[in-house]
Amino acid sequence: MTGIQIGIVMGSDSDVGVMKKAADILERFEIPYYMTVASAHRTPDRVAAIAERAEREGWKLLIAGAGMAAHLAGFLAAHTVVPVVGVPIDSSSLNGLDALLATVQMPGGVPVATMGIGAAGAKNAGILAVEVLAAFDPTLREKLRRFREEQKAEVEKKAAQMETSSL
Ligand code: RP5
């Protein structure tokens, strides 16, 4: 796969610990991606420019993570028809509930596919991005099936360990 396929944008560098989970998945599946910081409130022009670049370069999907009054995903979506996946970050005193509601409650006409709050949401955003690409790539689909099998084997292993130690 050549050229950037996925863009990961976060509202602040303080979000990187969470958003790295999405990047980790893309690296695991060898998907070329671009990751940066841009804020809907502090640098709106920069966010619009990223959306325009995504259109111009044919990126397949954008992942946007932001906390607090999280307008990043919706603001990106307003500037492009590239699909946007939103990750609400648990960076506030409301533990991300504010970001969840701000990200998920888009008015009809401009969708944001919103994940769960925090690290699991970021990981799932990465997996969802791979699933979207895999719809057009049988080799990637096969890799995703193996990923599921590995997860299953991990749980079986942990279950066996737990059962042995509780005997
Ligand atoms: C949001 O505000 C960011 O996405 C971050 O989650 C939160 C706090 O940002 P910083 O003040 O740490 O830069 O816009």
Side-chain angles (χ1 to χ4, degrees), residues 98-113:
D98 42 3
L100 172 66
L101 296 178
T103 305
V104 79
Q105 288 288 34
M106 288 298 289
V110 184
V112 168

Side-chain angles (χ1 to χ4, degrees), residues 66-149:
M68 306 188 79
H71 295 112
L72 179 60
F75 190 75
L76 261 176
H79 286 84
T80 178
V81 293
V82 173
V84 177
V85 176
V87 180
I89 307 277
D90 42 344
S91 56
S92 73
S93 44
L94 297 179
N95 296 321
L97 186 58
D98 42 3
L100 172 66
L101 296 178
T103 305
V104 79
Q105 288 288 34
M106 288 298 289
V110 184
V112 168
T114 305
M115 302 290 102
I117 297 168
K123 181 176 182 179
N124 279 343
I127 297 170
L128 184 64
V130 177
E131 288 178 351
V132 168
L133 297 178
F136 309 93
D137 182 341
T139 310
L140 200 50
R141 205 171 315 148
E142 208 34 60
K143 281 191 189 173
L144 268 171
R145 288 206 183 95
R146 278 207 300 279
F147 175 70
R148 291 280 178 99
E149 285 305 317

Side-chain angles (χ1 to χ4, degrees), residues 10-15 37-42 65-72 87-92 99:
M10 62 201 84
S12 166
D13 63 334
S14 64
D15 298 325
V37 175
S39 162
H41 304 117
R42 294 166 177 160
M68 306 188 79
H71 295 112
L72 179 60
V87 180
I89 307 277
D90 42 344
S91 56
S92 73

